[in-house]
Amino acid sequence: MPRALIIGSGVAGPAVAQFLHASGWDVEIFDAQPAAQNYGGLFLNVATNGLAVLESLGLRQRLLEDGHRAPNMVMWSRTGKRLGAVPNGPAGDPARGSVIVKRDRLHEVLRDGATAAGIPLIFGARLVGIEETATSVRATFADGRVAEGDILIGCDGVGSPTRLWIDPAAPAPKYSGLVGLGGFARVEGLAPTPETQHFVFGARSFFGYLVRTDGTVYWFANITAPEPARGSMRGVSSDEWLARLRELHSDDPFPVPQILERAEGEIRAYPIYDLTHVPRWSWGRVVALGDAVHATSPSAGQGASLALEDAVTLANCLRDAPYDRAFAEYQRLRQPRAEAVVKYARAINAQKRVTKSRLGVAIRDAMMPMFLRRAANDTRNNWLYNHTIQWEDPAARRPTG
Ligand SMILES: Cc1cc2nc3c(=O)[nH]c(=O)nc-3n(C[C@H](O)[C@H](O)[C@H](O)COP(=O)(O)OP(=O)(O)OC[C@H]3O[C@@H](n4cnc5c(N)ncnc54)[C@H](O)[C@@H]3O)c2cc1C
């Protein structure tokens, strides 16, 4: 039985492990975290295309049980004017719209799927070295542990050590000019927003929120800021962040200031990076997936879904061909789409950054309703969502849509 060492238990790792296991591979997942952690419990968008991959793993329904279906995204100006609505899924098909879930829910569902399949998941295993021989690949971990397999799959995120092993000259992630922050809140009297997430182009920062039926508010802000020094954000307390956010959003329309007034729990800040055009996705017996080779900023709500698409595509390729041909085919199938999504998210970031003059902001707010007028039925973004990769049928590997 061929054996795959999988580095990373975020999104791509447990997904590719389950697909490979189902086609007869012996797989093992290693993660640097000391124990199962879920990135502070923030939330993310799992798009229609990512849900389709979870369906192939039999995990979609479980994820949806605690999701906020959000097929509509409604945009507001800093003065409270409704700018328009954009589908968060295929246009005119809200039943197939995307869903917002707590990040820990997605990780838990994927991890539980792997555990139920009997796939070993080892925490506290930080990859520090990769060595290839003629017949195998050997991974060394910080605690001295060594593992050997036929291939190594790096699902180790945007800071991927695997990417650098594959190509020491690989490009580095690029800072977007935005820092993401977010959390939860409860605001008395604030009505639930079924099927909808709202976005506000605030006077000094971008804001997004939704209200679940039980009244819990999920919110985030993207503030425009120079690239922070590495690690510098860890020293900023939740109270300091909240004070800054309350000031930045004090002139924004209801319910933005009210949500920030009632924010609960820890506030964490994430400088937002992306990564595009990594020339080599594999070398010898080593290949990389997900953010490791094409991190996209959260603005497209597609990072996790692309990682899931990579997982099913790579497993399909490995089922049909020896690893070297499979790796090349996987990159050929995935790279154009992944890079198109990163580019699309960059265009959204440009709208979120508050670098425009007052006049620029006024022009944006005047033009946006015109662009958005027909957006609710605009099929131009369907390429993002209608990308379905069949798992059952290797011959049908090429995506539709
Ligand atoms: C603030 C924020 C908001 C986001 N919002 C969205 C959204 O709405 N929708 C969306 O689709 N995406 C969103 N994303 C992006 C999404 O989280 C990523 O695209 C997705 O998690 C990528 O999955 P992955 O498996 O490639 O990497 P990750 O999920 O980052 O997993 C990488 C794993 O590798 C492990 N690892 C790293 N180095 C090592 C090592 N040396 N040895 C062993 N293990 C290692 C890490 O511990 C981690 O578990 C957001 C990201 C951020 C930061």
Side-chain angles (χ1 to χ4, degrees):
M1 189 186 280
R3 178 169 158 75
L5 309 176
I6 296 172
I7 311 300
S9 71
V11 178
V16 74
Q18 288 168 75
F19 284 118
L20 286 179
H21 177 81
S23 55
W25 282 72
D26 175 21
V27 289
E28 201 167 359
I29 307 173
F30 301 87
D31 200 292
Q33 299 170 62
Q37 283 172 13
N38 300 311
Y39 308 96
L42 276 184
F43 53 93
L44 49 68
N45 185 67
V46 182
T48 310
N49 42 310
L51 290 172
V53 179
L54 291 174
E55 178 81 44
S56 304
L57 289 172
L59 300 175
R60 180 176 185 271
Q61 199 46 42
R62 214 182 134 216
L63 186 81
L64 292 183
E65 278 162 19
D66 192 23
H68 179 89
R69 294 191 52 252
N72 308 301
M73 299 187 282
V74 178
M75 312 289 164
W76 301 87
S77 78
R78 70 194 195 289
T79 58
K81 186 167 122 195
R82 191 180 188 278
L83 298 171
V86 179
N88 184 17
D93 194 359
R96 290 180 56 235
S98 309
V99 67
I100 318 280
V101 292
K102 281 192 175 164
R103 191 177 277 269
D104 59 2
R105 178 73 179 176
L106 176 63
H107 289 294
E108 184 189 9
V109 165
L110 281 164
R111 265 199 324 263
D112 286 357
T115 306
I119 296 166
L121 215 164
I122 297 159
F123 288 103
R126 175 174 296 282
L127 178 77
V128 290
I130 301 174
E131 199 188 327
E132 193 170 320
T133 69
T135 53
S136 72
V137 58
R138 199 173 297 137
T140 310
F141 299 91
D143 61 359
R145 189 194 315 253
V146 175
E148 196 156 349
D150 295 283
I151 59 171
L152 182 146
I153 305 178
C155 306
D156 40 8
V158 65
S160 169
T162 309
R163 175 178 69 241
L164 283 181
W165 187 87
I166 290 170
D167 179 4
K174 196 166 181 294
Y175 179 59
S176 66
L178 295 167
V179 172
L181 302 108
F184 303 96
R186 273 180 181 276
V187 179
E188 208 165 315
L190 187 58
T193 61
E195 312 251 302
T196 304
Q197 187 172 17
H198 293 279
F199 299 93
V200 182
F201 289 89
R204 295 185 291 280
S205 157
F206 184 84
F207 195 86
Y209 72 94
L210 62 86
V211 188
R212 303 211 53 184
T213 43
D214 71 356
T216 312
V217 181
Y218 292 13
W219 64 269
F220 74 89
N222 289 158
I223 62 177
T224 304
E227 185 172 8
R230 203 182 158 88
S232 62
M233 299 220 148
R234 273 186 231 123
V236 184
S237 71
S238 294
D239 286 347
E240 287 171 296
W241 280 124
L242 263 183
R244 181 160 173 202
L245 286 169
R246 284 173 182 152
E247 194 279 312
L248 283 171
H249 288 283
S250 58
D251 296 330
D252 290 343
F254 176 86
V256 177
Q258 289 74 11
I259 290 172
L260 289 171
E261 212 41 60
R262 304 304 302 268
E264 297 171 347
E266 191 192 355
I267 312 288
R268 284 229 218 150
Y270 304 85
I272 297 173
Y273 288 85
D274 71 9
L275 177 69
T276 194
H277 207 60
V278 174
R280 292 203 67 96
W281 289 19
S282 67
W283 182 260
R285 294 173 179 270
V286 178
V287 65
L289 267 69
D291 275 15
V293 280
H294 53 65
T296 172
S297 70
S299 293
Q302 282 284 345
S305 299
L306 286 182
L308 290 166
E309 289 181 3
D310 283 359
V312 63
T313 305
L314 179 67
N316 269 330
C317 293
L318 282 166
R319 193 164 59 178
D320 297 349
Y323 70 83
D324 50 348
R325 286 206 344 249
F327 291 173
E329 177 71 348
Y330 149 74
Q331 180 172 355
R332 191 186 68 76
L333 288 169
R334 295 296 303 150
Q335 191 162 19
R337 172 169 168 80
E339 292 189 354
V341 176
V342 176
K343 198 170 152 203
Y344 172 72
R346 279 186 180 176
I348 300 174
N349 288 344
Q351 293 299 323
K352 288 179 169 181
R353 280 192 295 267
V354 185
T355 50
K356 294 183 167 70
S357 62
R358 273 168 181 266
L359 180 65
V361 170
I363 292 172
R364 181 192 69 192
D365 288 359
M367 301 296 283
M368 211 173 260
M370 285 192 269
F371 288 124
L372 295 178
R373 193 166 298 141
R374 282 189 290 274
N377 298 310
D378 191 341
T379 54
R380 271 179 299 181
N381 279 346
N382 279 6
W383 65 275
L384 282 170
Y385 306 106
N386 280 342
H387 189 89
T388 307
I389 304 158
Q390 303 294 336
W391 164 242
E392 304 297 340
D393 177 5
R397 182 187 315 138
R398 267 159 202 64
T400 57

